[in-house]
Amino acid sequence: MTSSVELSIGGMTCASCANRIERKLNRLDGVTATVNYATEKARVDYADGVVPEDLVAAVEKAGYTAALPAPPAGTASEEAAPEDDPDAGLRQRLLVSAVLSLPVVLLGMVPALQFEYWQWASLTLAAPVVAWGGWPFHRAAWTNLRHGSATMDTLVSLGTLAALGWSLYALFLGTAGEPGMTHPFSFAVSRTDGAGDVYLEAAAGVTTFLLAGRYAEARAKRRAGSALRALLEMGARDVSVLRGGAEQRVPVDALGVGDLFVVRPGERVATDGEVVEGSSAVDASMLTGEPVPVEVGPGDAVVGATVNAGGRLVVRATRVGADTQLAQMARLVEEAQHGKAQVQRLADRVSAVFVPVVLALALATLGFWLGTGAGLAGAFPAAVAVLIIACPCALGLATPTALMVGTGRGAQLGILVRGPEVLESTRRVDTVVLDKTGTVTTGRMSLVDVAAADGEDDAGVLRRAGALEDASEHPIAAAVATAARERLGALPAVTGFANEAGLGVRGTVEGTAVVVGRPALVGALPPELAAAVQRADAAGRTAVAVGWDGAVRGVLVVADTVKQTSATAVRQFRDLGLRPVLLTGDSSAAARAVAAEVGIDDVVAEVLPQDKVDAVRRLQAEGRTVAMVGDGVNDAAALAQADLGLAMGTGTDVAIQASDLTLVRGDLRAAADAVRLARRTLAVIKGNLFWAFAYNVAAIPLAMAGLLNPMIAGAAMALSSVFVVTNSLRLRRFAPLPGNATSAVPG
């Protein structure tokens, strides 16, 4: 027999940390574990004989922290205590380091500001930045060292500590501490023992730049977990249970399988169950994504967190807690996010090669100069110079500046980019999966056709039907009433309004008894109206019959209409080399009608949230890199599973939080621009990284030869940083595709 537990993991700095913890746990007998870097959780299945404390100990032995889940609160209706800001500590380090580093950088780079004891003031300000501000990098570097690996943290820790160490040597044992010492602008390449050189501005500046990048990444990572919290918060907190013939309000956690509970109009269904009394229309869009409510009656199944849009229901609970469809959707989102969390940062992958090479070159430099008889005083500065010159000053700017400019430009165009790991997926994307409702279509029911019987006119049919439907709250009724008011103006009053559950409505309009609803309620259809209903059914649309005086007078056709910009967006996807696929929970007929209208050949219809995830996985199994565009709760798991998730900003918070890119407006054309912007930003980041490392590689031979002049190093660092910033600023000129400018956010 196996049990499972979810551990909260702390101390991870990159995806390789998650892999390391996962391997450590899986080495234990009877243990199967998966670790999610994005949500900082480990789900562990363990056999009898293993206790959860053993799992915590294994994680801690690997150099990280782990905590068992807290015991549940007394009731679900109790308000949870406000969560502490997990990024507060990192933000404090960043702000303090920035305040201390700015004068250090100015003093080190501008000789005119160097007063008599400026170097000692710089040391006073820079030492806390390197030691305390850079502590997350030093701790991560030590953890990586213990496991024989190297990341960007290793490079930063080595470089900043070497720069601080050299500066301490020069100040206390060399000539750099003498009054009046300056760093003049001298570009002569000459041998130096390093006794008069300080690199405090490099150590403090690099630490602060990288803290800024780490803080931005931490905020993005925390948002990845908020999709799960938002999804679970959709459920009801308490419920009216029938006990002893009387209603009793209890927390939803107290609900058990077999209990009868009441759902009033406008309330959420507390848990999955079966209707035993009453009939109503239930808004199941969070599950199906479709705007048409589902008519339910005794014997029909209902899903927790869906909304009762009509009458009073009595429901028997069939699944509760972790077994409900809502909980299963949350697990789908988490599992899909885990798969994407394995993407490593570009800088980490480069550092894994670069750091060992730099260390080897530093040791080789030390050995060479000792072998030539230069002595420790000549050999040690040259070896440390290699470490200092390898310290990635421009590297600290490479990703944050490109992201800052790229995301700022994206925001102007209505595109919000989550983080650098998102961008790595965009260059490989070759398939774009589009949700139908709310993405390709408006997500709202609209009147698309009026067919009047012989001898009747369209306006008369619509006028009476619109007046009657105006008294109903059903979405189809709202579509008819809205269209009638827009086309005909004010509508007449209705008396004697009655709702025929699951069939339609009836009432008196201007002295005439009018019926609107399913043909079975209204009466037999004449041939011309029967043909109109058949055409509507073939196109996946909804037909509503209208009758009075004992005869059917017309048919109204209602449908979710395609957005005007969707066909253009599909063409733009094809121009980018992307294969469009329509994915929907709607009927096959409706899906194919929409696909034909916008120019999509591949259609997957009548699918539930789990099936949407499976459809994305099938495409990925075929070797395709998939982008998914959606807007609903039912799309969240598929958005997280896709290599690149794009959420419509007009959609639900759950979908937005599970996605990688958010399109602020509901214009599908922005998705094509989002892919282009992400690809362009990634190209700039890679260019920045190349030049940042190229500077290091070019300057290392000077350091190895003992010819490293501090002003040459400082000027090269400054020029490298200026180049990186300038290169990133080119993203401000990114423009949407012709005709797409109207989808941008002004300003």
Side-chain angles (χ1 to χ4, degrees), residues 179-218:
M181 188 278 286
T182 60
H183 272 177
F185 279 105
S186 172
F187 293 98
V189 177
S190 59
R191 287 292 306 276
T192 173
D193 61 3
D197 304 335
V198 292
Y199 291 91
L200 296 169
E201 76 283 355
V206 167
T207 301
T208 302
F209 284 137
L210 291 174
L211 277 173
R214 181 63 53 85
Y215 176 67
E217 184 181 22

mmCIF file of all heavy atoms in Angstrom, residues 179-218:
data_model
loop_
_atom_site.group_PDB
_atom_site.id
_atom_site.type_symbol
_atom_site.label_atom_id
_atom_site.label_comp_id
_atom_site.label_asym_id
_atom_site.label_seq_id
_atom_site.Cartn_x
_atom_site.Cartn_y
_atom_site.Cartn_z
ATOM 1 N N PRO A 179 46.353 57.663 0.884
ATOM 2 C CA PRO A 179 45.538 58.859 0.631
ATOM 3 C C PRO A 179 45.779 59.404 -0.773
ATOM 4 O O PRO A 179 46.911 59.417 -1.260
ATOM 5 C CB PRO A 179 46.014 59.847 1.697
ATOM 6 C CG PRO A 179 46.635 59.002 2.760
ATOM 7 C CD PRO A 179 47.230 57.815 2.062
ATOM 8 N N GLY A 180 44.706 59.825 -1.426
ATOM 9 C CA GLY A 180 44.827 60.429 -2.745
ATOM 10 C C GLY A 180 44.917 59.444 -3.888
ATOM 11 O O GLY A 180 45.086 59.850 -5.040
ATOM 12 N N MET A 181 44.823 58.137 -3.631
ATOM 13 C CA MET A 181 44.871 57.146 -4.716
ATOM 14 C C MET A 181 43.683 57.354 -5.663
ATOM 15 O O MET A 181 42.561 57.585 -5.231
ATOM 16 C CB MET A 181 44.813 55.729 -4.128
ATOM 17 C CG MET A 181 45.051 54.616 -5.173
ATOM 18 S SD MET A 181 43.606 54.166 -6.156
ATOM 19 C CE MET A 181 42.640 53.232 -4.984
ATOM 20 N N THR A 182 43.954 57.307 -6.957
ATOM 21 C CA THR A 182 42.883 57.430 -7.957
ATOM 22 C C THR A 182 43.030 56.342 -8.998
ATOM 23 O O THR A 182 44.090 55.716 -9.124
ATOM 24 C CB THR A 182 42.929 58.804 -8.667
ATOM 25 O OG1 THR A 182 44.189 58.945 -9.328
ATOM 26 C CG2 THR A 182 42.724 59.939 -7.670
ATOM 27 N N HIS A 183 41.954 56.123 -9.756
ATOM 28 C CA HIS A 183 41.982 55.249 -10.922
ATOM 29 C C HIS A 183 41.953 56.155 -12.147
ATOM 30 O O HIS A 183 40.873 56.502 -12.653
ATOM 31 C CB HIS A 183 40.769 54.312 -10.937
ATOM 32 C CG HIS A 183 40.990 53.040 -10.176
ATOM 33 N ND1 HIS A 183 40.006 52.094 -10.013
ATOM 34 C CD2 HIS A 183 42.071 52.544 -9.535
ATOM 35 C CE1 HIS A 183 40.459 51.082 -9.308
ATOM 36 N NE2 HIS A 183 41.725 51.342 -9.002
ATOM 37 N N PRO A 184 43.111 56.606 -12.645
ATOM 38 C CA PRO A 184 43.095 57.535 -13.787
ATOM 39 C C PRO A 184 42.748 56.814 -15.080
ATOM 40 O O PRO A 184 42.808 55.591 -15.168
ATOM 41 C CB PRO A 184 44.535 58.065 -13.803
ATOM 42 C CG PRO A 184 45.341 56.933 -13.246
ATOM 43 C CD PRO A 184 44.472 56.285 -12.202
ATOM 44 N N PHE A 185 42.388 57.607 -16.090
ATOM 45 C CA PHE A 185 42.123 57.045 -17.408
ATOM 46 C C PHE A 185 43.451 56.779 -18.108
ATOM 47 O O PHE A 185 44.014 57.644 -18.765
ATOM 48 C CB PHE A 185 41.272 57.998 -18.263
ATOM 49 C CG PHE A 185 39.814 57.925 -17.942
ATOM 50 C CD1 PHE A 185 39.207 58.930 -17.221
ATOM 51 C CD2 PHE A 185 39.056 56.833 -18.342
ATOM 52 C CE1 PHE A 185 37.859 58.871 -16.912
ATOM 53 C CE2 PHE A 185 37.709 56.760 -18.042
ATOM 54 C CZ PHE A 185 37.103 57.781 -17.325
ATOM 55 N N SER A 186 43.955 55.591 -17.956
ATOM 56 C CA SER A 186 45.196 55.180 -18.622
ATOM 57 C C SER A 186 44.937 53.877 -19.338
ATOM 58 O O SER A 186 44.506 52.900 -18.724
ATOM 59 C CB SER A 186 46.323 55.005 -17.592
ATOM 60 O OG SER A 186 47.444 54.429 -18.212
ATOM 61 N N PHE A 187 45.205 53.874 -20.632
ATOM 62 C CA PHE A 187 44.924 52.676 -21.414
ATOM 63 C C PHE A 187 46.204 51.931 -21.794
ATOM 64 O O PHE A 187 46.217 51.141 -22.718
ATOM 65 C CB PHE A 187 44.127 53.034 -22.678
ATOM 66 C CG PHE A 187 42.755 53.533 -22.369
ATOM 67 C CD1 PHE A 187 42.487 54.892 -22.329
ATOM 68 C CD2 PHE A 187 41.733 52.649 -22.089
ATOM 69 C CE1 PHE A 187 41.224 55.353 -22.024
ATOM 70 C CE2 PHE A 187 40.455 53.108 -21.787
ATOM 71 C CZ PHE A 187 40.202 54.464 -21.756
ATOM 72 N N ALA A 188 47.280 52.196 -21.062
ATOM 73 C CA ALA A 188 48.543 51.493 -21.329
ATOM 74 C C ALA A 188 48.442 50.060 -20.841
ATOM 75 O O ALA A 188 47.953 49.795 -19.751
ATOM 76 C CB ALA A 188 49.694 52.202 -20.627
ATOM 77 N N VAL A 189 48.896 49.126 -21.672
ATOM 78 C CA VAL A 189 48.919 47.712 -21.288
ATOM 79 C C VAL A 189 50.293 47.414 -20.703
ATOM 80 O O VAL A 189 51.308 47.459 -21.396
ATOM 81 C CB VAL A 189 48.654 46.803 -22.507
ATOM 82 C CG1 VAL A 189 48.755 45.344 -22.121
ATOM 83 C CG2 VAL A 189 47.287 47.114 -23.094
ATOM 84 N N SER A 190 50.309 47.156 -19.419
ATOM 85 C CA SER A 190 51.599 46.945 -18.761
ATOM 86 C C SER A 190 51.437 45.981 -17.606
ATOM 87 O O SER A 190 50.333 45.778 -17.095
ATOM 88 C CB SER A 190 52.159 48.282 -18.245
ATOM 89 O OG SER A 190 51.238 48.866 -17.332
ATOM 90 N N ARG A 191 52.562 45.378 -17.218
ATOM 91 C CA ARG A 191 52.560 44.463 -16.081
ATOM 92 C C ARG A 191 52.285 45.237 -14.809
ATOM 93 O O ARG A 191 52.739 46.354 -14.622
ATOM 94 C CB ARG A 191 53.915 43.759 -15.954
ATOM 95 C CG ARG A 191 54.205 42.696 -17.009
ATOM 96 C CD ARG A 191 53.307 41.486 -16.845
ATOM 97 N NE ARG A 191 53.380 40.934 -15.478
ATOM 98 C CZ ARG A 191 54.325 40.081 -15.080
ATOM 99 N NH1 ARG A 191 55.286 39.709 -15.902
ATOM 100 N NH2 ARG A 191 54.322 39.610 -13.851
ATOM 101 N N THR A 192 51.492 44.628 -13.920
ATOM 102 C CA THR A 192 51.210 45.248 -12.630
ATOM 103 C C THR A 192 51.072 44.154 -11.595
ATOM 104 O O THR A 192 50.649 43.034 -11.918
ATOM 105 C CB THR A 192 49.919 46.088 -12.685
ATOM 106 O OG1 THR A 192 49.616 46.539 -11.358
ATOM 107 C CG2 THR A 192 48.729 45.282 -13.188
ATOM 108 N N ASP A 193 51.429 44.484 -10.342
ATOM 109 C CA ASP A 193 51.271 43.486 -9.288
ATOM 110 C C ASP A 193 49.905 43.564 -8.620
ATOM 111 O O ASP A 193 49.604 42.812 -7.695
ATOM 112 C CB ASP A 193 52.375 43.636 -8.231
ATOM 113 C CG ASP A 193 52.337 45.010 -7.546
ATOM 114 O OD1 ASP A 193 51.420 45.808 -7.864
ATOM 115 O OD2 ASP A 193 53.209 45.257 -6.707
ATOM 116 N N GLY A 194 49.054 44.490 -9.084
ATOM 117 C CA GLY A 194 47.704 44.596 -8.557
ATOM 118 C C GLY A 194 47.611 45.265 -7.211
ATOM 119 O O GLY A 194 46.523 45.397 -6.657
ATOM 120 N N ALA A 195 48.737 45.737 -6.660
ATOM 121 C CA ALA A 195 48.722 46.292 -5.309
ATOM 122 C C ALA A 195 47.984 47.617 -5.242
ATOM 123 O O ALA A 195 47.587 48.050 -4.158
ATOM 124 C CB ALA A 195 50.158 46.470 -4.805
ATOM 125 N N GLY A 196 47.783 48.297 -6.388
ATOM 126 C CA GLY A 196 47.100 49.586 -6.363
ATOM 127 C C GLY A 196 45.726 49.546 -7.011
ATOM 128 O O GLY A 196 45.154 50.598 -7.289
ATOM 129 N N ASP A 197 45.185 48.358 -7.254
ATOM 130 C CA ASP A 197 43.931 48.229 -7.991
ATOM 131 C C ASP A 197 42.800 47.751 -7.080
ATOM 132 O O ASP A 197 42.958 46.775 -6.338
ATOM 133 C CB ASP A 197 44.081 47.228 -9.133
ATOM 134 C CG ASP A 197 45.231 47.599 -10.072
ATOM 135 O OD1 ASP A 197 45.568 48.789 -10.138
ATOM 136 O OD2 ASP A 197 45.769 46.681 -10.719
ATOM 137 N N VAL A 198 41.662 48.431 -7.153
ATOM 138 C CA VAL A 198 40.468 47.973 -6.433
ATOM 139 C C VAL A 198 39.338 47.761 -7.441
ATOM 140 O O VAL A 198 39.236 48.490 -8.425
ATOM 141 C CB VAL A 198 40.029 48.973 -5.340
ATOM 142 C CG1 VAL A 198 41.038 49.022 -4.217
ATOM 143 C CG2 VAL A 198 39.784 50.357 -5.912
ATOM 144 N N TYR A 199 38.501 46.766 -7.160
ATOM 145 C CA TYR A 199 37.401 46.403 -8.061
ATOM 146 C C TYR A 199 36.077 46.369 -7.305
ATOM 147 O O TYR A 199 35.215 45.534 -7.543
ATOM 148 C CB TYR A 199 37.674 45.036 -8.699
ATOM 149 C CG TYR A 199 38.814 45.051 -9.666
ATOM 150 C CD1 TYR A 199 40.110 44.778 -9.240
ATOM 151 C CD2 TYR A 199 38.611 45.367 -10.998
ATOM 152 C CE1 TYR A 199 41.172 44.806 -10.118
ATOM 153 C CE2 TYR A 199 39.668 45.400 -11.892
ATOM 154 C CZ TYR A 199 40.945 45.121 -11.443
ATOM 155 O OH TYR A 199 41.986 45.158 -12.325
ATOM 156 N N LEU A 200 35.911 47.291 -6.376
ATOM 157 C CA LEU A 200 34.720 47.307 -5.537
ATOM 158 C C LEU A 200 33.461 47.637 -6.335
ATOM 159 O O LEU A 200 32.383 47.113 -6.065
ATOM 160 C CB LEU A 200 34.905 48.318 -4.400
ATOM 161 C CG LEU A 200 36.040 47.977 -3.418
ATOM 162 C CD1 LEU A 200 36.320 49.150 -2.503
ATOM 163 C CD2 LEU A 200 35.677 46.740 -2.607
ATOM 164 N N GLU A 201 33.597 48.532 -7.337
ATOM 165 C CA GLU A 201 32.411 48.898 -8.120
ATOM 166 C C GLU A 201 31.896 47.709 -8.930
ATOM 167 O O GLU A 201 30.690 47.534 -9.114
ATOM 168 C CB GLU A 201 32.700 50.095 -9.031
ATOM 169 C CG GLU A 201 33.517 49.812 -10.277
ATOM 170 C CD GLU A 201 35.017 49.646 -9.976
ATOM 171 O OE1 GLU A 201 35.422 49.850 -8.815
ATOM 172 O OE2 GLU A 201 35.754 49.334 -10.918
ATOM 173 N N ALA A 202 32.829 46.871 -9.418
ATOM 174 C CA ALA A 202 32.406 45.676 -10.164
ATOM 175 C C ALA A 202 31.690 44.701 -9.240
ATOM 176 O O ALA A 202 30.635 44.155 -9.583
ATOM 177 C CB ALA A 202 33.616 45.011 -10.810
ATOM 178 N N ALA A 203 32.258 44.459 -8.051
ATOM 179 C CA ALA A 203 31.657 43.509 -7.112
ATOM 180 C C ALA A 203 30.261 43.953 -6.678
ATOM 181 O O ALA A 203 29.307 43.163 -6.682
ATOM 182 C CB ALA A 203 32.569 43.341 -5.899
ATOM 183 N N ALA A 204 30.113 45.240 -6.309
ATOM 184 C CA ALA A 204 28.818 45.732 -5.833
ATOM 185 C C ALA A 204 27.809 45.840 -6.976
ATOM 186 O O ALA A 204 26.629 45.481 -6.826
ATOM 187 C CB ALA A 204 28.991 47.090 -5.161
ATOM 188 N N GLY A 205 28.260 46.340 -8.136
ATOM 189 C CA GLY A 205 27.348 46.521 -9.262
ATOM 190 C C GLY A 205 26.786 45.213 -9.784
ATOM 191 O O GLY A 205 25.577 45.097 -10.035
ATOM 192 N N VAL A 206 27.646 44.212 -9.935
ATOM 193 C CA VAL A 206 27.189 42.910 -10.430
ATOM 194 C C VAL A 206 26.180 42.306 -9.463
ATOM 195 O O VAL A 206 25.140 41.769 -9.864
ATOM 196 C CB VAL A 206 28.393 41.968 -10.640
ATOM 197 C CG1 VAL A 206 27.917 40.537 -10.843
ATOM 198 C CG2 VAL A 206 29.206 42.422 -11.831
ATOM 199 N N THR A 207 26.478 42.376 -8.172
ATOM 200 C CA THR A 207 25.569 41.816 -7.168
ATOM 201 C C THR A 207 24.189 42.456 -7.268
ATOM 202 O O THR A 207 23.156 41.767 -7.265
ATOM 203 C CB THR A 207 26.140 42.019 -5.755
ATOM 204 O OG1 THR A 207 27.414 41.373 -5.658
ATOM 205 C CG2 THR A 207 25.205 41.455 -4.698
ATOM 206 N N THR A 208 24.146 43.785 -7.391
ATOM 207 C CA THR A 208 22.859 44.488 -7.438
ATOM 208 C C THR A 208 22.098 44.178 -8.715
ATOM 209 O O THR A 208 20.885 43.918 -8.691
ATOM 210 C CB THR A 208 23.080 46.003 -7.312
ATOM 211 O OG1 THR A 208 23.772 46.273 -6.092
ATOM 212 C CG2 THR A 208 21.758 46.750 -7.322
ATOM 213 N N PHE A 209 22.799 44.175 -9.851
ATOM 214 C CA PHE A 209 22.127 43.876 -11.112
ATOM 215 C C PHE A 209 21.484 42.491 -11.069
ATOM 216 O O PHE A 209 20.347 42.291 -11.499
ATOM 217 C CB PHE A 209 23.120 43.945 -12.276
ATOM 218 C CG PHE A 209 23.474 45.344 -12.682
ATOM 219 C CD1 PHE A 209 24.785 45.676 -12.972
ATOM 220 C CD2 PHE A 209 22.505 46.316 -12.791
ATOM 221 C CE1 PHE A 209 25.125 46.963 -13.354
ATOM 222 C CE2 PHE A 209 22.836 47.613 -13.178
ATOM 223 C CZ PHE A 209 24.151 47.928 -13.456
ATOM 224 N N LEU A 210 22.214 41.528 -10.556
ATOM 225 C CA LEU A 210 21.697 40.166 -10.554
ATOM 226 C C LEU A 210 20.617 39.969 -9.495
ATOM 227 O O LEU A 210 19.738 39.126 -9.663
ATOM 228 C CB LEU A 210 22.845 39.175 -10.350
ATOM 229 C CG LEU A 210 23.794 39.120 -11.554
ATOM 230 C CD1 LEU A 210 24.998 38.239 -11.279
ATOM 231 C CD2 LEU A 210 23.064 38.602 -12.780
ATOM 232 N N LEU A 211 20.678 40.712 -8.402
ATOM 233 C CA LEU A 211 19.579 40.664 -7.438
ATOM 234 C C LEU A 211 18.279 41.160 -8.081
ATOM 235 O O LEU A 211 17.198 40.627 -7.819
ATOM 236 C CB LEU A 211 19.902 41.522 -6.210
ATOM 237 C CG LEU A 211 20.768 40.884 -5.124
ATOM 238 C CD1 LEU A 211 21.127 41.912 -4.059
ATOM 239 C CD2 LEU A 211 20.068 39.692 -4.492
ATOM 240 N N ALA A 212 18.398 42.188 -8.936
ATOM 241 C CA ALA A 212 17.207 42.699 -9.629
ATOM 242 C C ALA A 212 16.613 41.613 -10.528
ATOM 243 O O ALA A 212 15.395 41.401 -10.561
ATOM 244 C CB ALA A 212 17.565 43.931 -10.450
ATOM 245 N N GLY A 213 17.472 40.919 -11.267
ATOM 246 C CA GLY A 213 16.993 39.830 -12.108
ATOM 247 C C GLY A 213 16.383 38.700 -11.297
ATOM 248 O O GLY A 213 15.347 38.133 -11.664
ATOM 249 N N ARG A 214 17.010 38.365 -10.163
ATOM 250 C CA ARG A 214 16.503 37.286 -9.311
ATOM 251 C C ARG A 214 15.146 37.655 -8.713
ATOM 252 O O ARG A 214 14.256 36.815 -8.590
ATOM 253 C CB ARG A 214 17.533 37.002 -8.208
ATOM 254 C CG ARG A 214 17.162 35.893 -7.239
ATOM 255 C CD ARG A 214 17.046 34.543 -7.922
ATOM 256 N NE ARG A 214 18.207 34.183 -8.680
ATOM 257 C CZ ARG A 214 19.294 33.579 -8.164
ATOM 258 N NH1 ARG A 214 19.350 33.326 -6.881
ATOM 259 N NH2 ARG A 214 20.299 33.255 -8.944
ATOM 260 N N TYR A 215 14.976 38.930 -8.345
ATOM 261 C CA TYR A 215 13.701 39.365 -7.760
ATOM 262 C C TYR A 215 12.571 39.272 -8.795
ATOM 263 O O TYR A 215 11.476 38.790 -8.490
ATOM 264 C CB TYR A 215 13.831 40.798 -7.238
ATOM 265 C CG TYR A 215 12.547 41.370 -6.698
ATOM 266 C CD1 TYR A 215 11.971 40.858 -5.542
ATOM 267 C CD2 TYR A 215 11.908 42.428 -7.347
ATOM 268 C CE1 TYR A 215 10.780 41.378 -5.041
ATOM 269 C CE2 TYR A 215 10.716 42.959 -6.853
ATOM 270 C CZ TYR A 215 10.165 42.426 -5.699
ATOM 271 O OH TYR A 215 8.993 42.937 -5.208
ATOM 272 N N ALA A 216 12.869 39.731 -10.014
ATOM 273 C CA ALA A 216 11.855 39.653 -11.069
ATOM 274 C C ALA A 216 11.476 38.207 -11.350
ATOM 275 O O ALA A 216 10.302 37.874 -11.548
ATOM 276 C CB ALA A 216 12.376 40.324 -12.343
ATOM 277 N N GLU A 217 12.461 37.318 -11.330
ATOM 278 C CA GLU A 217 12.200 35.904 -11.591
ATOM 279 C C GLU A 217 11.376 35.291 -10.459
ATOM 280 O O GLU A 217 10.469 34.493 -10.693
ATOM 281 C CB GLU A 217 13.527 35.161 -11.734
ATOM 282 C CG GLU A 217 13.365 33.702 -12.093
ATOM 283 C CD GLU A 217 14.706 32.997 -12.209
ATOM 284 O OE1 GLU A 217 15.694 33.480 -11.638
ATOM 285 O OE2 GLU A 217 14.751 31.953 -12.849
ATOM 286 N N ALA A 218 11.675 35.677 -9.209
ATOM 287 C CA ALA A 218 10.944 35.130 -8.063
ATOM 288 C C ALA A 218 9.473 35.518 -8.119
ATOM 289 O O ALA A 218 8.588 34.712 -7.813
ATOM 290 C CB ALA A 218 11.574 35.624 -6.758
#
